[in-house]
Amino acid sequence: MPRGQGSSVSVPEKPKVDERVSSDEDNSRHRRSAYLLLGLLVVFLHGSWSVYCTQFASLPFPLDAEQAGKRGFSEASALEHVKYLTGLGPHPVGSDSLDLAVQYVYAEAEKIKKTAHWDVDVQLELFHTDIGANRLAGGLFNGKTLLYSDLKHVILRIVPKYLPEAEENLILVSSHIDTVSTTGGAGDCSSCVGVMLELARGVSQWAHGFKSGVLFLFNTGEEEGLDGAHSFITQHHWRNSVRFAVDLEAMGISGKSTLFQGTHHWALESFAAVAKYPSAQIATQDIFLSGAIKSATDFQIYQEVAGLPGLDFAYTDTTSVYHTKNDKMELLKPGSLQHIGENMLSFLLHAASSPKFMKDAHQAKQESTEEKKAIFFDVLGMYMVVYSQKLATMFHNSIIFQSLLIWGTSLLMGGRPGLVSFGISCLSIILMLIFSVFLPVVVAFALPHICPFPVSFVANPWLVIGLFGSPALLGAFIGQHIGFIFLKKHIKQVYSRTKPGLTGNTLDYIVGLEAERWIYKSGFVQWLIVLILGTYLKVGASYVALIWLVSPAFAYGLMEATLSPVRSPKQLKVFTLVLALAVPVVSSAGLFIRMVDVMVGSIVRADRNPGGLPDWIGNVVVAVGIAIVISFTFVYLLSYVHISGAKRTLLSVLCALFGLALILVSSGIVPAFTDDIARPVNVVHVVDTTRMEDGNTEPLSYISLFSNTPGKLTNELTDLSGEEFSCGRNMTIDFVTFTMKYGCRSYKGSNVGWSKSEVPVLHVESDSATDNARTTVVSVDTKSSTRWTLAINKQEIDDFTIQVDSEELVQLGGKSEVDRWHTIQFAGGKSSPTKFQLTLFWSGNVTHTSAEEAKSQDSPLLLKLRTDVDRVTPMVATVLEKLPSWCTPFGKSTSPYTLAFLTALPVNI
C-alpha cells in the first residue's frame, strides 16, 4: 500500500521534528477521548443495524384488490389463498388434506381461466403422475434413489392467442402445495402458492402482448425429495417447451423473498432491470452450493435434470420456525407477499414480452460455464448490481496485482525496518483472529453448564451481541493490542537509531502514531488475503473483500498518505475512518447480520443424528461465525483505540454487556424457547422387528422422544414425569436415514394404536449362485404404508434393480453410496403400490458373515426398512399434549411420521 506518514524507513540525516508533536502537553491534548471512540462504535453498530433494517426488513405497503387493480398484484388476495391452505393443517403427500388443497388450487385456477383477457388462451390441467424414479447426482441426494407414485399437480398455461410459437417457448414458474407432516406451512410454501395464483391472475390480463407463454406449476411431492418437479420435467407433454424456470421457496417465513440462486448473467440482468424492490445475494448461493445448508429446492431438478436456466427465490426470515408448527399465518409480515409479487409480476411481464429474453434462453445451453456465471447483490434493497464472473475475475486480479505491487514497492523502499513492521502487523492480524475466536468459544463451552438449555438464545437472537459479540470484540482488541505493543517496541528501536533527537514522551507519542498506522494498514493485508483466496476459488461473495480492501485503502491514500519519507507521523483523522467504512457498511453490513441470524435460526435443527453432536456445538458454530465477522470488520475501527485513553472504558462496556447477557440467559429471565420459536422435539411410536429371531416373537413397541437441537431432554421431561420415559445413549434407534444416538423411550401404552398386519415384510423369494455370481430376489411388502425408506448394504451388494408389477422401475448401474449404504426413499398418494420386487446382485469379493455372527446382536444387516404411517396413536397423543408449548415436532423428508415400523434382513439370509 502507499507509504504513509511515518513509514519505518532508515534515513541517514537527522530529520526535523514536527513542532506539533514536540510538546508533552500537546501530546495528551491530541489523544482521542473515550467518548469519541464510544461514539464511533455506536455509530458503526447503529449504522450497520440501519443498513440491515433497510435492506431486509423494509417491506412495501400491502395492496388490496381494489388498490392493485385488474392488472396489478394484491397481497390481500394472495393471503386469502394462504389462509385457506394453512387452515387445512399439515397436508403431506398421501393425505386427505393435500387432496383438498389440490382441489382448491384447481378451482382457483379455473376462476383465472374464466376471467382472463379475451385475447389470451388459458389451459388448465390436473396432472396425475405415473410411478417414477429420481436419482440426482449431488447435494443431499448422493447415495439415494427417490421413488414416487400417484402425485397430482395443477398446471396452468397462459399464452397469447394467434401466436402458436409462444406455446413452444414457456417460462416456468413453480412451487409446491404439499407440506411436511408437522406444519400447515404458511411460509413453506402456501405463501408461494398464494403468490403464484395472484401472479397468474395478473399475467392472464397481460398475456395478449406476450412473445412467449408462462406456465404455472403447482406441484406436490417437493418435501419428499423434489419428486413433483422431477415428475413434471420427465413425464408431462409440455416439459420440452419450457425454456426458463423460476422457483419460489421458503426456508423461513415472510420478510423479503431473496434471489439466492441464478444461473445466467443475462437472466439476472433482466430481473435487476425491472424488479421494484430487488433483494439478491450471491453469498447465499455460495453457502447453499457448498452444502453448509442441508437443504434443496426444485431448482436443482430444473437445473440438473432439465438443464434449464433460471432463478431461485426464498424467504429466509425466522428460519427457526422452518418445518415446525410455528410456520403459521400470524408470523407472516405485512408486505412480504407484496414484495415478491410485484417483483415477479414485473419480471414475468418483461421476460414474456421480450424476444431477446427467449433468444438468450435458447442459447443458454451453448454458453460456456464461465460465460454463465455472474456476481449479483443488492444495495439497501433499492438497487441490484450484476456483472459477469469473467469481469469480476479480471477486476479482482487487477486489484490484487496493484496491491501486491504497491506493498512490494513500499516494503522495498522501507528496507529491513519496514519489512519487520509489516511482519509484526501481519502477526497482529493472526493474534486478533485467534483471541477473537478464543474468548467467545470459551463462553460457548461454558453455556451448557450454566444455562437451562445448551442453546439459550434462539428465541432472542439479540442476546448473541452480549454473549459472543462482546467477548469476540474484546478478544480482537487484545490480539491487535499485543501486535501494537510489539510494533511500538520495534519502531522505537528504529527511531532511537535514526532519530536520536526524539526523547521521552515525544518519542513514545510518535512511535505510537507510527504503530497505529501500521495496525490500520494491517486491515488491508487481511482483506487482500481473503480477496486472493476468494478469486482463486471463484467465490461469488469475494466482492465483499474487494470493497473492504479498496474503500479503506482509498480513504487512507486520500487523507493520510504522503510521498515524503522524512515527516513525522500524525494522528489518523477520524474522518479517514468514516470515509473508509461508509461504503463497506452500506454494501455488506446487512448481509453479515442476516447470515448470523440465519445461523442462529438453523441451530435448532443442527443435529441430523439426534444426540450425535455435543451440547456445545451450536454455541461454538455461532460464536466462531460472529468472531470471524468482528475480527475482519472491526480491524480498522479498533486501530484508533490503542493510543487513546479509551481502553479501560472499552473493556468496562464490553464486560458489562457480556455480564448482562449472561445473567439474562442463566437465570431464565429471557427464555431460550417460546411458543413462537420452539424447540423441535419429535415423538414417534416405533414398532421394531429388526432383531426378531422367529415368527413367534412379538415386535418391540415403544414411544421414542428425540430432538434435532443439541442438548438433553431434561427440561421437556418435567411435564412428562408420569409417562415412564427413560433417557440416555443406550436408547439408540436406527431410523435408516439417520441414527438416534440420544433420546428417551417409554413402553407405557405402546401396545395399542397399531396391528401386526401393518408390520412390513422382507421375504427372500430366491437365492441362487452361478459362476461366482450370486443373485437374490427379495419381495418388499410395505403393507398400508406409502412412505418408506429402504437401505441396501453396498459393501455386500454390487448392484440391484426394483420392479413394480413387472415394470423395472430402477435399472442397473449408477448407484452411489454414503457410508456403504444406498438408500431408497418412496413417497406417494393413497393409490401407490405397496409391493415391490428387489433383485440383489452380490459383490464377488466379499467375505460373508457366518451363521453364528448373523445370530448375534452385532451381526451386519443386508437390508434395513422403515415404513411410516401418518397416524397419532393414543400414547403419542398423550405425550404431544403434555409436552411444553415451547416444544414442536420437526418434519423433513428423512424423518419418520408419528408411527414407524422397522424391520431388516441379515447378511446371512
Side-chain angles (χ1 to χ4, degrees):
M1 303 308 295
R3 291 172 58 196
Q5 300 171 1
S7 298
S8 298
V9 183
S10 296
V11 187
E13 69 273 11
K14 178 180 177 181
K16 295 180 180 180
V17 179
D18 196 316
E19 293 179 358
R20 282 181 294 177
V21 292
S22 60
S23 167
D24 292 349
E25 184 179 344
D26 287 344
N27 295 348
S28 61
R29 191 179 73 240
H30 282 290
R31 283 190 174 185
R32 304 182 189 95
S33 70
Y35 297 106
L36 173 63
L37 290 170
L38 284 177
L40 287 173
L41 178 62
V42 170
V43 168
F44 179 79
L45 294 175
H46 183 268
S48 299
W49 180 251
S50 298
V51 167
Y52 171 77
C53 291
T54 302
Q55 187 170 8
F56 292 101
S58 178
L59 295 168
F61 183 79
L63 304 179
D64 59 29
E66 184 177 349
Q67 291 170 318
K70 193 175 183 179
R71 292 185 164 191
F73 183 92
S74 165
E75 176 175 299
S77 299
L79 279 175
E80 288 300 316
H81 305 309
V82 181
K83 183 178 180 180
Y84 178 87
L85 294 171
T86 307
L88 295 173
H91 35 282
V93 169
S95 65
D96 292 334
S97 54
L98 181 59
D99 290 339
L100 293 175
V102 171
Q103 291 171 19
Y104 173 81
V105 173
Y106 187 85
E108 293 300 312
E110 277 190 320
K111 294 179 184 177
I112 294 171
K113 180 177 180 179
K114 292 176 181 178
T115 59
H117 189 278
W118 63 270
D119 209 12
V120 173
D121 183 20
V122 178
Q123 296 187 21
L124 176 63
E125 283 192 17
L126 181 61
F127 177 49
H128 194 167
T129 66
D130 296 328
I131 192 167
N134 174 15
R135 192 157 61 231
L136 293 170
L140 294 176
F141 306 104
N142 184 35
K144 291 184 179 180
T145 297
L146 305 172
L147 307 181
Y148 55 84
S149 176
D150 192 29
L151 301 179
K152 297 182 180 71
H153 315 320
V154 177
I155 305 175
L156 187 68
R157 189 181 73 170
I158 303 175
V159 295
K161 289 181 180 177
Y162 317 118
L163 193 65
E165 56 267 32
E167 297 182 0
E168 300 303 319
N169 297 284
L170 301 177
I171 298 171
L172 172 68
V173 183
S174 172
S175 191
H176 62 95
I177 306 174
D178 63 305
T179 70
V180 293
S181 62
T182 53
T183 178
D188 185 18
C189 208
S190 296
S191 62
C192 310
V193 174
V195 166
M196 282 176 57
L197 285 170
E198 180 63 6
L199 279 174
R201 185 201 59 77
V203 167
S204 69
Q205 304 301 321
W206 289 90
H208 56 282
F210 286 0
K211 300 297 186 291
S212 56
V214 181
L215 188 150
F216 292 91
L217 170 64
F218 304 86
N219 71 64
T220 63
E222 190 273 348
E223 296 293 5
E224 299 300 337
L226 318 182
D227 296 335
H230 185 272
S231 64
F232 169 80
I233 218 68
T234 57
Q235 296 182 21
H236 197 270
H237 58 277
W238 285 339
R239 67 186 185 276
N240 293 324
S241 300
V242 175
R243 309 299 177 197
F244 189 85
V246 176
D247 183 52
L248 303 182
E249 255 297 351
M251 298 177 197
I253 185 170
S254 76
K256 289 188 175 181
S257 184
T258 300
L259 171 59
F260 76 103
Q261 289 192 91
T263 57
H264 291 71
H265 183 206
W266 54 267
L268 292 161
E269 280 191 330
S270 297
F271 177 76
V274 298
K276 291 184 64 175
Y277 316 103
S279 179
Q281 292 295 338
I282 194 173
T284 53
Q285 176 174 287
D286 291 334
I287 297 171
F288 197 76
L289 296 180
S290 72
I293 297 178
K294 303 296 183 182
S295 187
T297 71
D298 284 337
F299 191 69
Q300 183 175 349
I301 295 289
Y302 303 135
Q303 187 178 9
E304 186 177 319
V305 179
L308 294 171
L311 304 174
D312 200 6
F313 297 82
Y315 293 112
T316 55
D317 269 19
T318 322
T319 58
S320 54
V321 308
Y322 176 72
H323 283 192
T324 69
K325 68 178 183 181
N326 291 321
D327 185 1
K328 54 189 178 182
M329 282 284 294
E330 290 80 359
L331 296 183
L332 275 173
K333 296 176 183 176
S336 299
L337 274 58
Q338 193 71 39
H339 172 264
I340 183 60
E342 292 198 41
N343 280 346
M344 286 308 306
L345 184 59
S346 299
F347 173 71
L348 291 175
L349 297 181
H350 166 75
S353 302
S354 170
K356 183 181 182 302
F357 184 89
M358 196 51 62
K359 181 180 178 182
D360 290 336
H362 276 283
Q363 294 176 347
K365 292 185 178 181
Q366 281 71 51
E367 294 178 359
S368 67
T369 304
E370 191 67 24
E371 290 174 332
K372 292 179 181 180
K373 294 182 179 179
I375 310 301
F376 60 92
F377 57 93
D378 72 271
V379 180
L380 298 179
M382 301 176 184
Y383 182 76
M384 183 171 165
V385 179
V386 181
Y387 54 97
S388 68
Q389 176 71 63
K390 185 177 181 180
L391 177 62
T393 302
M394 292 173 58
F395 187 49
H396 292 183
N397 286 336
S398 174
I399 296 297
I400 291 169
F401 175 76
Q402 293 178 53
S403 300
L404 293 175
L405 182 62
I406 294 172
W407 268 112
T409 303
S410 179
L411 294 176
L412 185 63
M413 294 178 65
R416 183 177 179 277
L419 188 62
V420 174
S421 296
F422 174 78
I424 296 175
S425 66
C426 291
L427 175 64
S428 74
I429 299 171
I430 298 172
L431 292 174
M432 187 178 185
L433 184 60
I434 290 174
F435 279 85
S436 181
V437 171
F438 175 75
L439 292 185
V441 165
V442 171
V443 175
F445 276 106
L447 282 180
H449 301 288
I450 59 179
C451 297
F453 292 91
V455 182
S456 52
F457 45 82
V458 175
N460 298 278
W462 53 269
L463 286 169
V464 301
I465 298 173
L467 291 174
F468 304 128
S470 295
L473 185 57
L474 179 61
F477 176 73
I478 291 173
Q480 194 183 69
H481 193 67
I482 293 173
F484 177 79
I485 293 171
F486 285 138
L487 266 172
K488 282 187 63 176
K489 183 177 180 181
H490 164 68
I491 294 171
K492 188 171 185 178
Q493 292 175 349
V494 174
Y495 271 63
S496 297
R497 186 173 64 254
T498 59
K499 300 182 180 182
L502 298 175
T503 58
N505 290 341
T506 300
L507 176 61
D508 288 340
Y509 184 64
I510 292 178
V511 167
L513 294 177
E514 176 77 357
E516 179 184 65
R517 288 173 173 270
W518 274 107
I519 290 296
Y520 180 91
K521 291 186 289 186
S522 69
F524 306 161
V525 178
Q526 72 170 12
W527 284 111
L528 178 59
I529 293 172
V530 174
L531 181 61
I532 292 172
L533 292 175
T535 302
Y536 175 75
L537 298 173
K538 286 186 168 49
V539 177
S542 298
Y543 76 89
V544 174
L546 179 75
I547 294 172
W548 281 85
L549 167 63
V550 172
S551 182
F554 172 79
Y556 183 87
L558 181 66
M559 303 299 301
E560 308 289 350
T562 175
L563 296 177
S564 172
V566 296
R567 292 183 60 187
S568 296
K570 298 181 178 63
Q571 192 177 56
L572 287 175
K573 302 177 182 67
V574 172
F575 184 73
T576 301
L577 182 66
V578 175
L579 183 63
L581 296 183
V583 175
V585 167
V586 168
S587 64
S588 57
L591 173 64
F592 288 141
I593 296 173
R594 170 45 59 98
M595 290 174 64
V596 171
D597 182 53
V598 171
M599 190 185 305
V600 170
S602 301
I603 291 301
V604 295
R605 53 182 183 275
D607 202 347
R608 300 187 69 81
N609 295 293
L613 295 177
D615 292 354
W616 44 260
I617 191 66
N619 297 328
V620 169
V621 170
V622 175
V624 171
I626 291 175
I628 291 174
V629 169
I630 286 179
S631 182
F632 276 83
T633 57
F634 278 78
V635 62
Y636 301 112
L637 178 59
L638 290 179
S639 66
Y640 278 64
V641 182
H642 302 288
I643 60 173
S644 71
K647 293 188 285 290
R648 186 173 297 177
T649 304
L650 179 65
L651 175 64
S652 300
V653 170
L654 294 178
C655 289
L657 283 174
F658 170 70
L660 177 61
L662 192 62
I663 290 172
L664 291 176
V665 298
S666 61
S667 63
I669 295 175
V670 178
F673 301 100
T674 65
D675 288 359
D676 286 336
I677 309 295
R679 181 185 184 184
V681 178
N682 283 43
V683 184
V684 182
H685 192 150
V686 179
V687 180
D688 190 357
T689 67
T690 303
R691 298 295 178 181
M692 287 174 58
E693 296 182 2
D694 56 74
N696 297 323
T697 303
E698 291 290 324
L700 186 64
S701 177
Y702 51 87
I703 310 301
S704 172
L705 202 68
F706 63 86
S707 175
N708 291 98
T709 306
K712 296 180 180 179
L713 297 168
T714 307
N715 293 282
E716 288 80 356
L717 289 184
T718 56
D719 290 359
L720 298 173
S721 56
E723 303 308 328
E724 302 177 6
F725 276 98
S726 58
C727 304
R729 296 191 176 275
N730 59 334
M731 307 291 176
T732 301
I733 304 173
D734 185 349
F735 278 113
V736 183
T737 50
F738 66 93
T739 301
M740 193 203 75
K741 298 183 177 182
Y742 168 85
C744 304
R745 186 181 296 183
S746 171
Y747 295 93
K748 180 182 177 182
S750 62
N751 59 336
V752 296
W754 61 277
S755 65
K756 288 185 178 180
S757 63
E758 295 179 292
V759 176
V761 176
L762 294 172
H763 178 68
V764 178
E765 299 285 345
S766 65
D767 187 26
S768 60
T770 57
D771 298 330
N772 296 324
R774 183 181 176 187
T775 303
T776 302
V777 178
V778 179
S779 64
V780 181
D781 188 351
T782 63
K783 301 297 180 160
S784 61
S785 174
T786 58
R787 185 184 192 259
W788 51 267
T789 304
L790 176 69
I792 300 173
N793 189 337
K794 285 285 287 177
Q795 189 174 14
E796 303 285 342
I797 302 301
D798 185 58
D799 208 345
F800 63 88
T801 63
I802 297 178
Q803 289 184 327
V804 179
D805 297 328
S806 301
E807 176 187 351
E808 194 168 72
L809 186 58
V810 177
Q811 301 175 345
L812 293 173
K815 312 296 195 312
S816 56
E817 62 182 89
V818 174
D819 297 330
R820 73 183 178 87
W821 293 94
H822 184 90
T823 305
I824 303 168
Q825 288 181 216
F826 182 94
K830 293 185 284 291
S831 299
S832 298
T834 58
K835 294 183 179 180
F836 303 82
Q837 188 179 76
L838 181 66
T839 304
L840 305 173
F841 299 91
W842 293 70
S843 177
N845 55 356
V846 174
T847 303
H848 299 299
T849 309
S850 66
E852 290 74 15
E853 291 174 323
K855 290 181 180 180
S856 71
Q857 287 293 96
D858 298 322
S859 63
L861 298 174
L862 182 68
L863 302 175
K864 299 185 295 184
L865 175 64
R866 186 192 82 219
T867 58
D868 302 324
V869 179
D870 193 8
R871 184 196 309 152
V872 177
T873 60
M875 184 57 180
V876 169
T878 300
V879 174
L880 288 173
E881 184 179 351
K882 287 189 174 183
L883 274 177
S885 59
W886 45 263
C887 293
T888 174
F890 171 68
K892 56 182 177 178
S893 62
T894 54
S895 293
Y897 283 161
T898 47
L899 176 58
F901 296 87
L902 303 177
T903 192
L905 202 63
V907 167
N908 196 328
I909 54 179

